[in-house]
Amino acid sequence: MELVTAAQGFSAMGSESRLEVLQTLVRAGDKGLLVGDIQQRTGIPGSTLAHHLKFLTSADLIVQNRQGRTIINKANYQHLQALAAFILEECCADQEIEK
């Protein structure tokens, strides 16, 4: 993963509300949630929630799938795992140097 992509992903998680939305979608699993369901679970007003969803989508943290007039929001687990791997990639690497 490139540094720019990682920075965009972590930046998108840098707000309490967006992090709450993302955690809500992670808890929901592969079925995802409708916007109304996310709003009900988080208490975030609709217009604000739309802004957060757009931000999370542009950072590829969530995926939106249209089914007719309905939009299903899902956590992008593959990208989230790549971000976790990126941040942990060099875990403890300097410990070998210090010995």
Side-chain angles (χ1 to χ4, degrees):
M1 175 175 289
E2 292 185 22
L3 189 62
V4 172
T5 303
Q8 288 172 342
F10 289 117
S11 176
M13 289 187 267
S15 120
E16 288 179 29
S17 295
R18 286 192 297 270
L19 195 53
E20 182 180 12
V21 169
L22 186 58
Q23 286 181 313
T24 299
L25 289 172
V26 167
R27 280 193 303 272
D30 290 330
K31 291 181 86 172
L33 294 171
L34 302 173
V35 173
D37 294 330
I38 299 168
Q39 186 177 9
Q40 183 178 22
R41 294 179 187 199
T42 63
I44 298 172
S47 60
T48 305
L49 180 57
H51 169 75
H52 291 313
L53 290 171
K54 183 177 179 180
F55 207 89
L56 292 166
T57 302
S58 69
D60 204 24
L61 297 175
I62 67 169
V63 176
Q64 295 182 318
N65 296 319
R66 183 175 293 278
Q67 295 178 354
R69 296 188 322 186
T70 303
I71 297 176
I72 306 293
N73 298 275
K74 299 177 184 181
N76 184 347
Y77 296 106
Q78 184 176 3
H79 192 65
L80 290 168
Q81 288 173 338
L83 283 170
F86 174 85
I87 202 67
L88 296 173
E89 184 174 49
E90 296 188 33
C91 176
C92 312
D94 288 345
Q95 285 182 350
E96 293 300 318
I97 295 171
E98 295 173 4
K99 287 184 179 179

